Amino acid sequence: MARVPALAVAALRRVRQSPGALVGQYRARRSHPTVELVNQPHPWTRALGLVAVVLLGAWLGLLIVGNVRTPVGPMNTTMTLRPSLDGGTKINVSPLGALELRSHVAPVRLDVNVDQLDPVRAQALVDHPERISGLQDEIASDVRHGTFDLALRSCVAVVSGATALGLAVYRRPRRALAAGGLALGLLTVSGGTAFATWNPNSVLEPKFSGLLSSAPSLVGNARSIVTEFDVYQKELARLVTNVTKLYDVTSTLPVYTPDPSTIRVLHVSDIHLNPASWKIIASLVEQYDINVIVDSGDTMDHGTAAENGFLEPIASLGAPYVWVRGNHDSMTTQRYLENMKNVHVLDEGRALSVAGLRFAGMGDPQFTPDRSAKLGGAQSEELAGARLASALRDQERAGRPVDVAIAHNPDAARQADGEVPLVLAGHLHHQEMEVMKYGTRLRLEGSTGGSGLRAVEGEYPDPIEASVLYLDRETRRLQAWDEIKLGGLGLTTAEVSRHLPEENQPGATPSPTPSPSLSSTQSPGSSPGSSPSSPPSLSPGSASRPSGSPSPTGR
């Protein structure tokens, strides 16, 4: 029995020491942490996962419920916001095609689908034409109400989609609400960016796709968009009115009526023996009521006498044909064209007046199909350009200044900088507009023959390209131009893009008078809505040469 107290005392002593033992054991565990079986995700991984859930949920929300059906004038439309890297507005006018506007820069794009024409409202416009005068205010009001409703619905769609997906993925209400809040913040920032970069004048330079013949009728003529700056509502009303007419009379498309105060030049180049080019050119001459056609060379491929029969359709194209020799055109080709009716061949700086414009041109000094001859390269092109510039100065001193100079190779054309307002060239098989150092505007045309036999050398067939240039009849200065691009071999796409020189943009500030070598009679000051200016290095809508474009010697 004596041992019982001793055992009790020992147990009591251990109990008294246990707090210290527990503390020591805790410290030992802290200094030697145990390995957990499940790794906790890194904070950055969790953040990226949440962002992915927000973006996917917002997109699904917009896709499912983020659209608004609203009337715009006589049409029923559906407005939708879509994620986009470069923003803008796309108006789908079925079955005519689409109209793209650079209206804003933001990660969201506004899609407007014209679903159908309301027969009651359309018939009311047809029966009461006087109502068309107030159509622009009605359309502007409809668009404002539609975009306001779309903004509210998009907010609900984005937040609901992100929250629902967050709840499904994380199964935690707090995480789901965080996803919804981030989605709302993202939409708010996108909307603020779109508002800050909103450009109502984007309707001046639309890009059309779909039926080629309807595009000019939707945008109006070159002079009206230069001189009438009540742009947004007026042009929007014009668009809707013309679409109404197209739906009302489906059997025929409206005829484009060019402004009589402009001279319309069809610029073609590098046809390269493509027989389809003549039908396209004839269609454009009729559609745009072209005054004169300018061909900047490479009409042929080898320049042999056997190819001359290919040129016969030129006589029946319906407009005078001004031509300069390219590096694939021989002197045999040139002599044949000189004897053709309605063709004006320019070489060695020769100048002549056609359709109210004075042209001068220089044939290409090289003929690349002749492998026995040593080619002069860029040096010979620059020398030919220098002779052209000298001829232009001679015309200026004689009191007969040239309005448009033509050369095939841009190396030659660049030598005319400062001697003429506009110089046309080709050779590189892509479209480009550039204002050179001394104020001359250089226009490079793509291949109107889709590169001919070279059409299928690349991954995709080369497009067929041409341009309609609108020049003021009094000042003979460029007012606007349409770039026309048709799908190449086996393709059926069509695009028309309207462009304006920056000095003709509404609200443009006058800049210094052009180079003194230009005649004062060519100043655009008398043209309404324009002012004398020295244009910038690249005009709106023009594109620099792609990195994959062929070199000059490759054409």
Side-chain angles (χ1 to χ4, degrees), residues 371-383:
R371 303 300 182 184
S372 64
K374 183 179 180 181
L375 300 178
Q379 185 175 2
S380 64
E381 298 290 349
E382 292 171 0
L383 181 60

Side-chain angles (χ1 to χ4, degrees), residues 102 198-206 229 231-232 500 505-507:
R102 300 178 195 173
W198 180 255
N199 176 25
N201 300 330
S202 59
V203 74
L204 280 172
E205 298 189 75
F229 182 53
V231 179
Y232 187 63
L500 299 176
Q505 294 282 353

Side-chain angles (χ1 to χ4, degrees), residues 67-87:
N67 58 69
V68 170
R69 296 184 181 275
T70 182
V72 175
M75 300 181 300
N76 295 324
T77 68
T78 300
M79 295 184 177
T80 311
L81 285 181
R82 288 284 182 259
S84 171
L85 294 178
D86 49 8

Side-chain angles (χ1 to χ4, degrees), residues 53-336:
V53 168
V54 168
L55 293 177
L56 181 58
W59 178 75
L60 289 174
L62 286 176
L63 191 64
I64 297 172
V65 295
N67 58 69
V68 170
R69 296 184 181 275
T70 182
V72 175
M75 300 181 300
N76 295 324
T77 68
T78 300
M79 295 184 177
T80 311
L81 285 181
R82 288 284 182 259
S84 171
L85 294 178
D86 49 8
T89 299
K90 185 174 183 180
I91 303 174
N92 297 302
V93 188
S94 177
L96 304 180
L99 168 66
E100 297 181 29
L101 306 175
R102 300 178 195 173
S103 56
H104 62 276
V105 179
V108 288
R109 185 186 72 200
L110 174 61
D111 284 354
V112 181
N113 293 315
V114 179
D115 299 326
Q116 62 181 357
L117 185 73
D118 185 283
V120 176
R121 298 199 300 270
Q123 190 62 44
L125 282 176
V126 174
D127 294 340
H128 303 281
E130 67 277 3
R131 291 182 55 184
I132 293 180
S133 61
L135 185 60
Q136 65 185 55
D137 296 326
E138 178 185 342
I139 291 171
S141 177
D142 291 341
V143 170
R144 279 195 299 268
H145 284 98
T147 51
F148 180 74
D149 293 343
L150 178 63
L152 292 179
R153 181 179 285 265
S154 297
C155 285
V156 174
V158 164
V159 173
S160 301
T163 303
L165 187 61
L167 190 60
V169 171
Y170 296 111
R171 300 181 184 277
R172 295 180 182 178
R174 183 176 297 179
R175 285 285 185 89
L177 291 175
L182 285 176
L184 180 60
L186 177 64
L187 183 63
T188 302
V189 171
S190 300
T193 305
F195 181 79
T197 59
W198 180 255
N199 176 25
N201 300 330
S202 59
V203 74
L204 280 172
E205 298 189 75
K207 181 178 180 180
F208 289 95
S209 60
L211 293 179
L212 172 63
S213 57
S214 66
S217 304
L218 295 178
V219 74
N221 57 60
R223 171 56 64 87
S224 70
I225 60 176
V226 172
T227 60
E228 299 172 5
F229 182 53
D230 198 8
V231 179
Y232 187 63
Q233 295 183 18
K234 185 170 292 185
E235 292 299 326
L236 188 57
R238 188 197 305 273
L239 170 66
V240 174
T241 304
N242 280 282
V243 170
T244 303
K245 294 177 182 178
L246 288 173
Y247 275 95
D248 186 55
V249 188
T250 56
S251 59
T252 58
L253 293 174
V255 178
Y256 175 50
T257 306
D259 193 314
S261 63
T262 59
I263 301 174
R264 294 163 301 282
V265 178
L266 176 62
H267 184 198
V268 302
S269 189
D270 296 87
I271 292 174
H272 285 292
L273 281 179
N274 187 343
S277 300
W278 301 129
K279 294 182 179 179
I280 294 171
I281 292 172
S283 176
L284 293 173
V285 168
E286 180 180 1
Q287 174 65 29
Y288 285 83
D289 196 13
I290 295 298
N291 299 110
V292 58
I293 305 167
V294 173
D295 185 342
S296 50
D298 272 7
T299 311
M300 301 302 225
D301 217 20
H302 299 91
T304 63
E307 295 173 334
N308 287 342
F310 170 76
L311 303 170
E312 291 301 322
I314 292 178
S316 58
L317 289 177
Y321 200 89
V322 178
W323 183 86
V324 297
R325 187 177 68 252
N327 61 291
H328 281 263
D329 303 318
S330 66
M331 290 302 299
T332 301
T333 302
Q334 179 163 314
R335 286 190 291 270
Y336 187 84

